[in-house]
């Protein structure tokens, strides 16, 4: 027995499901397709067993216009399961916190960016009941920061630029600019941001260049990158062997930085660097190599 208007307003459609179709078509003018059959379903949407659902990053932003929940999803490739997960995330967060959720998708792939930017429509074709429009950050809209001036203006944005664009011919300019920007930050913050970049550089040559730049700046003597080399030296044995290995590695770094920056390395410069056994001197040369315009600049102190 129906005892309330709340119940009556939905129970009538249980009695005559076709009435719901007619209401959509004739009252709301929704082009709902004609059903072949109807089937009643369990109205209980409670999940019997907990289902683990996690967003990548969730931030609450308090603004003059109210509270926003920023849902950040890192997406490597298209995944059609997200077409249902993302609307669920937003609806759940809105219901639980009574705040406005905003979905931001971050990707390094142009193809994935185009896929993620497609609106997600749930409901009737052409007139959906729910539409989710993700905001997408990717190669086509994240600015390519390749000058020291731009990078120093906003180092975190320069980090995002490097993570998004740090490949191909533009990689040296992007990474060198970012290295200069990180110099303006405190050591711990710079180290964390640098590790983010390292994790995102898919190109092996760009990643090695980045590690050489950071090692030259001595950001990471306590980082695993440096510790790996030290551990290898310990396993090899004597201190003399470890020191020799570090000298050789630093000399290669100096020359590699010059080559990756497109600077010609004459035999005389290469031989002088290879012949050097002073680790401190090689460290100085590696730092100069980052901003040198010619190979001979290695041996000239900047006034």
């Amino acid at each position: 027995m129906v005892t309330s208007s709340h119940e009556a307003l939905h129970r009538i459609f249980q009695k005559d499901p076709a009435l719901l179709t007619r209401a959509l078509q004739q009252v709301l003018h929704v082009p709902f397709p004609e059903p072949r059959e109807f089937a009643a379903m369990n109205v209980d949407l409670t999940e019997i067993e907990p289902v683990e659902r996690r967003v990548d990053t969730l931030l609450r932003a308090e603004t003059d216009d109210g509270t926003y929940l920023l849902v950040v999803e890192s997406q490597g490739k298209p995944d059609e399961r997200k077409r249902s997960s993302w609307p669920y995330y937003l609806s759940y967060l809105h219901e639980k916190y009574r705040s406005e959720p905003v979905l931001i998708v971050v990707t390094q792939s142009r193809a994935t960016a185009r896929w993620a930017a497609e609106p997600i429509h749930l409901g009737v074709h052409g007139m959906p009941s729910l539409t989710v429009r993700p905001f997408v950050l990717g190669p086509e809209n994240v600015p390519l920061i390749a000058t020291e001036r731009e990078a120093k203006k906003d180092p975190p944005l320069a980090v995002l630029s490097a993570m998004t664009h740090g490949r191909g011919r533009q990689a040296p300019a992007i990474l060198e600019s970012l290295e200069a920007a990180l110099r303006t930050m405190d050591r711990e913050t710079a180290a964390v941001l640098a590790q983010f970049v390292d994790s995102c550089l898919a190109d092996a040559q760009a990643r090695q260049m980045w590690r050489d730049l950071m090692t030259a700046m001595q950001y990471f003597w306590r980082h695993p990158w440096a510790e790996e080399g030290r551990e290898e030296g310990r396993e090899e044995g004597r201190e003399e062997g470890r020191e020799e290995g570090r000298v050789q590695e630093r000399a290669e770094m100096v020359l590699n930085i010059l080559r990756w920056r497109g600077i010609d390395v004459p035999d005389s410069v290469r031989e002088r660097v290879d012949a050097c056994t002073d680790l401190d001197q090689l460290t100085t040369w590696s730092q100069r190599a980052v901003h040198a315009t010619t190979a001979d600049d290695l041996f000239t102190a900047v006034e």
Side-chain angles (χ1 to χ4, degrees), residues 11 22 128 136 204 208 281:
R11 284 284 299 274
R22 295 193 299 275
V136 180
Q208 187 57 53
Q281 181 64 73

Side-chain angles (χ1 to χ4, degrees), residues 73-77 105-110 112-113 116 136-139 164:
E73 287 280 276
S74 175
Q75 196 68 27
K77 60 183 180 180
V105 180
V106 186
T107 181
Q108 296 174 294
S109 165
R110 282 182 167 80
T112 302
V136 180
L137 295 173
T164 307

Side-chain angles (χ1 to χ4, degrees), residues 214-273:
M214 292 296 94
T215 304
M217 295 303 103
Q218 300 187 40
Y219 279 125
F220 296 109
W221 295 120
R222 293 183 177 275
H223 188 272
W225 304 343
E227 292 300 326
E228 288 171 7
R230 290 175 178 167
E231 186 61 31
E232 290 173 3
R234 294 189 191 99
E235 292 174 357
E236 289 173 2
R238 302 183 306 169
E239 178 61 31
E240 181 179 346
R242 295 199 298 272
E243 182 70 15
E244 182 179 344
R246 286 196 291 268
V247 166
Q248 181 179 356
E249 185 179 90
R250 190 59 51 82
E252 291 175 356
M253 179 194 305
V254 173
L255 299 175
N256 282 338
I257 291 175
L258 291 176
R259 294 190 188 104
W260 285 325
R261 298 188 65 236
I263 296 175
D264 183 59
V265 182
D267 289 342
S268 59
V269 171
R270 177 179 55 77
E271 291 169 0
R272 181 172 176 181
V273 172

Side-chain angles (χ1 to χ4, degrees), residues 77-92:
K77 60 183 180 180
D79 182 354
E80 288 305 315
R81 291 176 300 177
K82 294 295 186 179
R83 310 297 289 183
S84 57
S85 294
W86 287 340
Y88 174 88
Y89 295 161
L90 300 184
S91 299
Y92 174 85

Side-chain angles (χ1 to χ4, degrees), residues 8-288:
L9 287 171
H10 70 82
R11 284 284 299 274
I12 188 173
F13 298 115
Q14 295 179 16
K15 180 66 175 178
D16 184 358
L19 175 61
L20 182 56
T21 301
R22 295 193 299 275
L24 287 170
Q25 296 170 339
Q26 299 172 20
V27 178
L28 299 177
H29 306 292
V30 175
F32 194 90
E34 199 66 34
R36 289 191 296 270
E37 63 178 349
F38 292 94
M41 298 182 66
N42 191 337
V43 298
D44 187 354
L45 302 183
T46 303
E47 295 177 340
I48 298 175
E49 295 182 1
V51 176
E52 183 175 347
R53 298 181 187 271
R54 294 178 182 271
V55 297
D56 290 332
T57 291
L58 179 61
L59 303 172
R60 183 178 67 236
E62 301 287 352
T63 75
D64 291 341
D65 294 332
T67 301
Y68 289 87
L69 303 176
L70 305 181
V71 182
V72 183
E73 287 280 276
S74 175
Q75 196 68 27
K77 60 183 180 180
D79 182 354
E80 288 305 315
R81 291 176 300 177
K82 294 295 186 179
R83 310 297 289 183
S84 57
S85 294
W86 287 340
Y88 174 88
Y89 295 161
L90 300 184
S91 299
Y92 174 85
L93 290 169
H94 185 269
E95 171 64 19
K96 182 174 182 178
Y97 296 104
R98 297 297 177 178
S99 298
E100 300 300 329
V102 180
L103 174 62
I104 303 100
V105 180
V106 186
T107 181
Q108 296 174 294
S109 165
R110 282 182 167 80
T112 302
R114 289 191 291 271
W115 166 83
E118 287 292 321
I120 301 169
H121 301 297
L122 303 181
V124 180
H125 181 69
M127 296 187 67
S129 298
L130 174 65
T131 297
V132 173
R133 301 180 185 275
F135 294 109
V136 180
L137 295 173
E140 294 182 350
N141 58 8
V142 172
L144 193 159
I145 297 178
T147 68
E148 184 175 327
R149 179 174 173 274
E150 289 180 301
K152 286 182 176 179
K153 187 184 302 182
D154 192 341
L157 182 60
V159 170
L160 181 60
S161 175
M163 293 192 294
T164 307
H165 300 285
R167 65 182 70 184
R169 288 181 297 177
Q170 71 268 32
I174 293 172
L175 299 179
E176 290 165 29
S177 300
L178 178 57
E179 177 274 331
L182 293 185
R183 282 171 170 264
T184 67
M185 307 181 71
D186 67 272
R187 190 184 184 91
E188 290 187 6
T189 301
V192 172
L193 294 177
Q195 291 173 45
F196 290 163
V197 175
D198 180 78
S199 299
C200 287
L201 292 175
D203 181 82
Q205 187 175 24
R207 184 168 59 251
Q208 187 57 53
M209 178 185 180
W210 180 242
R211 292 184 176 188
D212 285 348
L213 286 169
M214 292 296 94
T215 304
M217 295 303 103
Q218 300 187 40
Y219 279 125
F220 296 109
W221 295 120
R222 293 183 177 275
H223 188 272
W225 304 343
E227 292 300 326
E228 288 171 7
R230 290 175 178 167
E231 186 61 31
E232 290 173 3
R234 294 189 191 99
E235 292 174 357
E236 289 173 2
R238 302 183 306 169
E239 178 61 31
E240 181 179 346
R242 295 199 298 272
E243 182 70 15
E244 182 179 344
R246 286 196 291 268
V247 166
Q248 181 179 356
E249 185 179 90
R250 190 59 51 82
E252 291 175 356
M253 179 194 305
V254 173
L255 299 175
N256 282 338
I257 291 175
L258 291 176
R259 294 190 188 104
W260 285 325
R261 298 188 65 236
I263 296 175
D264 183 59
V265 182
D267 289 342
S268 59
V269 171
R270 177 179 55 77
E271 291 169 0
R272 181 172 176 181
V273 172
D274 285 340
C276 181
T277 58
D278 185 333
L279 188 60
D280 291 337
Q281 181 64 73
L282 288 168
T283 298
T284 298
W285 288 347
S286 69
Q287 294 170 347
R288 291 176 183 171

